[in-house]
Amino acid sequence: MIKARSVKHQISLFLIIILLIGCKKSPIEWDTDLNAPLFNTELSVAHILPDSMVSVDENNLLSLVIDKDLFSLSTNSFTSLPDSIFQLYLPVSSSASLAPNTLFFHKDEVQKMQLSPLELTKIELHGGSIAFEVINPFNQPIELHYQIPAAKINGVSLSKKITIPKGNGSENSYTAHIDISGYQLDLRGPNGNTVNSYRNILAVRVSPNAPDSARTIGSELLIKINFEDIDLGYAGGFFGQQHINYGPETTPIHFFDMIQDGTLEMESAKASFTIQNGIGADLQFRLLSLKAIKSNTLEELPFQSSLLNRPINITRASENNNPGVPVSPTTTTIDVTESNILQWLTFFPDQTEYQAMLHLNPMGNISAGNDFIYRGYDFKTKVHIEIPFSFSASNLTLRDDVAYKFGSELDPVDQLRLQLIADNGYPFAAQIQVEIIDSQGESKLPLFSGNNTILPGTLIEEGVTTPTRSILPITLNNAESKILKENGKMRITATFNTNTPGYTKIYDSYKLRLKLTGNFQYHIEIQ
């Protein structure tokens, strides 16, 4: 990045000279050279990867750490309430005339939700509402009084009155909502001896505040009542003996986005498959398949392990009776180091495809209807991999994009000469390419056409190197200089070959520091 301050300081010096010789009347001309950096960057494992993916041991040896969530089961993916609660189409007489506060519809019934195979006795609502859509056929406002006695918040049952404005003789509907966030709903029915059931009461009358009797201007009263945007905070009961299938589903992975090409042979890796169960139900899990995919070539590599298609029994979570931390999940970890995990990773996939199956309550209702699930305490599966950076590389290509700024102060520059200064602390050489790219990431101009080798650092002892400096000159013509000025980003591509027998270890101290500087020639003329 060019520092505008340094350029302005040099221009200030020119102004002082002008003041000193200001009495001369003949033109004064001279050429001057300015040096300014366009960017400073660092290309290293720790720099390219997120901090969460790199660990450093006591010997400063780097390791790649991969934690990949595969699939989960949460309150809302586990079950959802049916949207519809109640619908009413009530024809009205064209000669009807109802005094204010006249009750003309009342319904008191037990609502049985279709949740099979779940047999729920209680739910808590983290968020959501009850939506009302009404067409009023009268020329006066009407009042809806809706109640769910078993839905309570702070011990008070849900009971709301909604006033619907007078109709206008058309089919236009009026909508209203009741916020039910925080409510607990007992689903054992009025007598406490069933499941998935609750009592709801609807009364419709002419508004007590109507200024006159209600006369019909439409043909029927329409009322639709629905649950909307329900977010469950808790569900309890018996969850049945469900079989839940996952996939086949493809998800992107970004561990190797910076690796563009080449082959990489890792010395070792540790891998484990972790299952965390935050649900109060016994589970049996099977991973049916897991594949690595290169989407650009459509190549696939199946994961091979004894874990595949093997039934894994998972103990239920337990409740703590602590509102802050209501659940103690159980965790099952399976070592999958004895697999083709190294081959799978060095395949450099950008997608994974998995297929799995989850069996709830394989031994039946052993909890006597006391299964539970809390919001935020899910069933989760995750792959954890640790790979020490000890490898053999052939044409391993890393890429990074860096921004640069070409200030307006340098618009009149006549000639651009650049140089890339590389201080390589890695004990192997690299081929480097720098290209100007546009805002869409498309290449506009490669900056190198000849030899672009960066020499290796000098290995002093294991884990300690002395960086070696390489300076690569770049000369731009007028058209190329224009491209440099019109854009603001460059792409750096480095290709590595270890060229040593065995494996090369990568330490935290190894860095490749790159600095692109410009030597800019000004022509100044003072009249």
Side-chain angles (χ1 to χ4, degrees):
M1 182 181 296
I2 295 177
K3 301 292 185 181
R5 180 183 296 179
S6 64
V7 175
K8 290 178 179 178
H9 283 175
Q10 296 182 62
I11 293 175
S12 298
L13 178 60
F14 303 154
L15 293 174
I16 293 171
I17 296 172
I18 293 168
L19 291 173
L20 291 175
I21 60 175
C23 295
K24 294 183 178 289
K25 295 184 178 180
S26 58
I28 300 173
E29 300 180 51
W30 74 92
D31 292 324
T32 185
D33 289 336
L34 298 178
N35 288 291
L38 272 74
F39 69 70
N40 279 289
T41 191
E42 189 176 281
L43 199 62
S44 67
V45 171
H47 173 72
I48 294 174
L49 293 172
D51 292 342
S52 59
M53 291 182 62
V54 179
S55 69
V56 183
D57 68 11
E58 64 278 6
N59 298 315
N60 285 325
L61 179 65
L62 293 176
S63 290
L64 172 66
V65 178
I66 296 174
D67 284 301
K68 171 66 175 174
D69 292 327
L70 292 180
F71 31 82
S72 63
L73 181 66
S74 63
T75 48
N76 293 317
S77 62
F78 172 69
T79 184
S80 59
L81 300 186
D83 291 337
S84 180
I85 299 176
F86 176 77
Q87 292 191 13
L88 170 67
Y89 297 89
L90 180 67
V92 293
S93 171
S94 60
S95 61
S97 177
L98 305 176
N101 206 33
T102 299
L103 178 69
F104 61 89
F105 180 82
H106 184 269
K107 191 176 186 69
D108 185 340
E109 68 176 7
V110 176
Q111 183 82 10
K112 180 82 171 182
M113 292 192 289
Q114 301 302 312
L115 296 174
S116 180
L118 277 70
E119 298 177 0
L120 299 184
T121 56
K122 179 183 177 182
I123 60 173
E124 294 180 5
L125 298 158
H126 181 77
S129 63
I130 296 175
F132 297 80
E133 181 184 353
V134 183
I135 295 178
N136 181 4
F138 297 102
N139 67 346
Q140 298 295 334
I142 60 176
E143 181 185 87
L144 275 60
H145 186 193
Y146 186 68
Q147 302 173 72
I148 304 179
K152 298 181 179 181
I153 186 170
N154 299 322
V156 179
S157 294
L158 187 147
S159 177
K160 300 290 184 181
K161 293 181 179 180
I162 300 172
T163 298
I164 307 300
K166 65 181 181 180
N168 57 12
S170 70
E171 298 298 316
N172 294 333
S173 62
Y174 178 84
T175 58
H177 293 81
I178 297 174
D179 184 7
I180 54 175
S181 302
Y183 275 86
Q184 297 181 353
L185 178 57
D186 189 327
L187 295 176
R188 294 175 295 177
N191 299 320
N193 60 356
T194 186
V195 296
N196 300 340
S197 303
Y198 63 96
R199 177 185 173 207
N200 70 121
I201 305 166
L202 175 65
V204 187
R205 66 181 70 239
V206 179
S207 171
N209 299 317
D212 200 353
S213 294
R215 301 182 184 279
T216 55
I217 54 175
S219 59
E220 66 177 1
L221 170 69
L222 166 68
I223 300 177
K224 294 181 180 180
I225 306 175
N226 299 300
F227 285 117
E228 195 169 278
D229 299 327
I230 296 299
D231 184 0
L232 288 177
Y234 167 87
F238 174 52
F239 294 164
Q241 292 184 278
Q242 301 183 61
H243 287 85
I244 301 174
N245 294 310
Y246 295 88
E249 184 170 333
T250 301
T251 61
I253 56 176
H254 302 287
F255 311 139
F256 308 108
D257 284 356
M258 74 292 185
I259 299 176
Q260 301 300 305
D261 200 0
T263 60
L264 183 67
E265 183 180 341
M266 295 289 191
E267 184 176 8
S268 63
K270 293 180 180 179
S272 61
F273 190 84
T274 300
I275 302 170
Q276 179 178 293
N277 184 18
I279 301 174
D282 295 302
L283 308 172
Q284 187 178 87
F285 174 78
R286 289 177 187 262
L287 180 64
L288 303 178
S289 67
L290 181 63
K291 290 191 291 189
I293 300 172
K294 282 184 179 179
S295 61
N296 60 336
T297 62
L298 300 180
E299 295 176 88
E300 297 181 352
L301 181 65
F303 178 62
Q304 298 172 358
S305 168
S306 60
L307 173 66
L308 291 177
N309 218 8
R310 165 184 155 195
I312 303 169
N313 294 317
I314 304 163
T315 307
R316 67 181 54 227
S318 58
E319 290 184 284
N320 293 330
N321 296 318
N322 179 351
V325 187
V327 176
S328 291
T330 62
T331 301
T332 303
T333 300
I334 302 164
D335 192 316
V336 291
T337 300
E338 296 298 323
S339 64
N340 67 334
I341 189 66
L342 276 176
Q343 181 187 2
W344 200 79
L345 290 170
T346 54
F347 182 67
F348 303 147
D350 60 357
Q351 293 179 347
T352 59
E353 181 188 283
Y354 63 81
Q355 188 172 6
M357 184 183 69
L358 190 66
H359 186 187
L360 268 69
N361 291 313
M363 296 177 287
N365 189 11
I366 62 174
S367 73
N370 288 303
D371 297 346
F372 63 83
I373 184 169
Y374 285 83
R375 187 177 188 271
Y377 292 86
D378 307 336
F379 167 81
K380 301 176 182 178
T381 58
K382 180 171 68 175
V383 174
H384 177 81
I385 304 169
E386 294 183 19
I387 310 170
F389 275 102
S390 177
F391 61 82
S392 173
S394 175
N395 293 322
L396 179 66
T397 304
L398 306 183
R399 190 181 76 183
D400 195 21
D401 294 347
V402 297
Y404 68 90
K405 186 175 182 180
F406 198 96
S408 59
E409 300 90 348
L410 298 178
D411 285 344
V413 167
D414 296 327
Q415 186 176 358
L416 296 181
R417 297 190 303 275
L418 309 178
Q419 60 181 13
L420 180 67
I421 302 170
D423 293 310
N424 186 12
Y426 287 92
F428 39 79
Q431 296 291 314
I432 198 80
Q433 179 58 271
V434 180
E435 53 190 326
I436 300 170
I437 58 175
D438 62 17
S439 59
Q440 305 301 314
E442 297 296 326
S443 178
K444 305 301 291 184
L445 177 68
L447 298 186
F448 291 113
S449 58
N451 181 31
N452 51 354
T453 300
I454 293 176
L455 299 176
T458 302
L459 185 63
I460 305 301
E461 58 183 56
E462 186 68 27
V464 179
T465 62
T466 298
T468 298
R469 171 164 290 192
S470 300
I471 298 178
L472 306 179
I474 305 164
T475 300
L476 301 182
N477 59 34
N478 288 340
E480 293 168 336
S481 299
K482 185 174 184 293
I483 294 173
L484 178 70
K485 296 175 184 179
E486 291 174 344
N487 293 279
K489 188 174 283 190
M490 294 189 186
R491 176 166 295 149
I492 303 169
T493 305
T495 303
F496 298 97
N497 289 278
T498 51
N499 292 328
T500 56
Y503 297 96
T504 300
K505 291 181 170 60
I506 302 300
Y507 292 87
D508 189 39
S509 59
Y510 292 175
K511 315 285 183 185
L512 173 56
R513 293 185 172 90
L514 299 170
K515 179 179 180 181
L516 185 66
T517 65
N519 180 266
F520 307 109
Q521 187 179 82
Y522 267 102
H523 177 76
I524 298 176
E525 180 176 327
I526 306 297
Q527 296 293 333

